[in-house]
Amino acid sequence: MIVIDGIDGSGKGVQSRRLLQIFLDAGESAILTREPGGSPAAEDIRRLLVKGEPQKWDDMTELLLMYAARRSHLRDTIWPALAENKWVISDRYADSSRAFQGIAGNLGLDTVERIHRLVVGDFEPALVIILDLPETIALARTEVRGDDEDRFERKGQDYHSRVRAAFRQIAATNPSQYRLIDADRDIAEVGADITQTINAQFALQLTSVPATR
Ligand code: TYD
């Protein structure tokens, strides 16, 4: 399982779609999934989380909803795909809970880890790529999207600045599992960096250019 994570507007969506295409072009069996969501039941929970007023849920309720969704995502999508020997590429995973609810939301990492252990056990993704860039640039990118899934974007710049710092802190804890990639560059450059990182980690020879976008 390979996770692409980072602040809102860091380009995870486009890079994870690109990565899926690169794996498929190479003849690998792979799926692309996302959090919150990634299974039918978890997508139901996603709708509760991403719409409405920022203060609708407090951090603890957000965390519990994220983990309810994550449990369904693991059981219904991730674990079955891994059992069929497929690569699983996920746009966000548990480090978003650590960064958003744990560190930026002030619940503390310890609380997230306790719930994580209960819900997930010791399953870990093989690699987590964190896309890093200043939150001011990232938030400006999200503003042009104009969808109604903006509950988190509206939590303000201070919150997102703490989220960025949190992801950087998490990435520094375990260099063998995490890679921090500079996402303040154009899509192709960031994409080439991601492909290179994956090739090095898994001894693959994926090419950096997907056939289609
Ligand atoms: P996402 O679908 O990545 O939003 P976008 O496509 O707009 O970048 O995620 C929705 C929001 O959920 C995002 O702001 C981050 C937040 N989130 C958490 O706070 N904790 C989590 O555990 C996850 C998975 C997401």
Side-chain angles (χ1 to χ4, degrees):
M1 177 175 177
I2 298 170
V3 176
I4 312 242
D5 220 324
I7 57 176
D8 290 328
S10 57
K12 305 165 292 79
V14 66
Q15 294 298 348
S16 47
R17 286 192 294 279
R18 199 181 150 92
L19 190 58
L20 173 72
Q21 194 56 55
I22 286 170
F23 270 97
L24 298 178
D25 289 350
E28 299 281 342
S29 183
I31 64 159
L32 172 61
T33 185
R34 69 163 178 184
E35 289 205 352
S39 69
E43 290 288 331
D44 286 346
I45 298 174
R46 176 190 175 91
R47 282 187 279 281
L48 301 175
L49 279 160
V50 297
K51 295 183 183 182
E53 290 307 308
Q55 301 313 320
K56 177 169 108 175
W57 311 111
D58 69 2
D59 294 293
M60 180 55 93
T61 314
E62 270 174 15
L63 183 71
L64 296 171
L65 288 169
M66 292 293 176
Y67 270 94
R70 183 160 299 131
R71 174 88 197 158
S72 159
H73 186 208
L74 285 163
R75 193 193 69 154
D76 297 340
T77 303
I78 297 175
W79 287 335
L82 292 174
E84 290 169 9
N85 251 331
K86 293 179 178 155
W87 292 94
V88 173
I89 300 164
S90 188
D91 175 349
R92 291 197 189 282
Y93 182 61
D95 294 302
S96 281
S97 298
R98 296 184 174 105
F100 284 81
Q101 285 72 46
I103 302 177
N106 289 322
L107 286 178
L109 271 185
D110 192 49
T111 299
V112 180
E113 294 308 340
R114 280 157 71 194
I115 290 175
H116 186 90
R117 196 137 283 278
L118 268 175
V119 174
V120 178
D122 53 17
F123 169 77
E124 289 284 343
L127 180 67
V128 180
I129 291 173
I130 309 264
L131 299 183
D132 178 60
L133 80 170
E135 67 285 348
T136 42
I137 299 173
L139 284 175
R141 289 183 184 172
T142 64
E143 273 162 20
V144 298
R145 275 189 218 159
D147 58 26
D148 64 345
E149 293 195 341
D150 62 352
R151 196 179 142 256
F152 283 88
E153 278 91 335
R154 288 161 59 210
K155 287 189 182 219
Q157 197 168 314
D158 278 3
Y159 180 82
H160 289 277
S161 142
R162 293 201 298 278
V163 174
R164 181 195 185 195
F167 273 120
R168 294 175 63 93
Q169 175 190 331
I170 292 165
T173 57
N174 182 356
S176 63
Q177 193 187 13
Y178 293 94
R179 297 285 187 287
L180 194 73
I181 286 186
D182 173 11
D184 190 9
R185 296 177 290 166
D186 69 47
I187 291 172
E189 266 180 90
V190 178
D193 210 346
I194 293 174
T195 315
Q196 245 176 30
T197 301
I198 288 170
N199 282 341
Q201 178 84 0
F202 301 109
L204 293 168
Q205 269 139 22
L206 304 172
T207 94
S208 279
V209 187
T212 54
R213 273 262 189 89

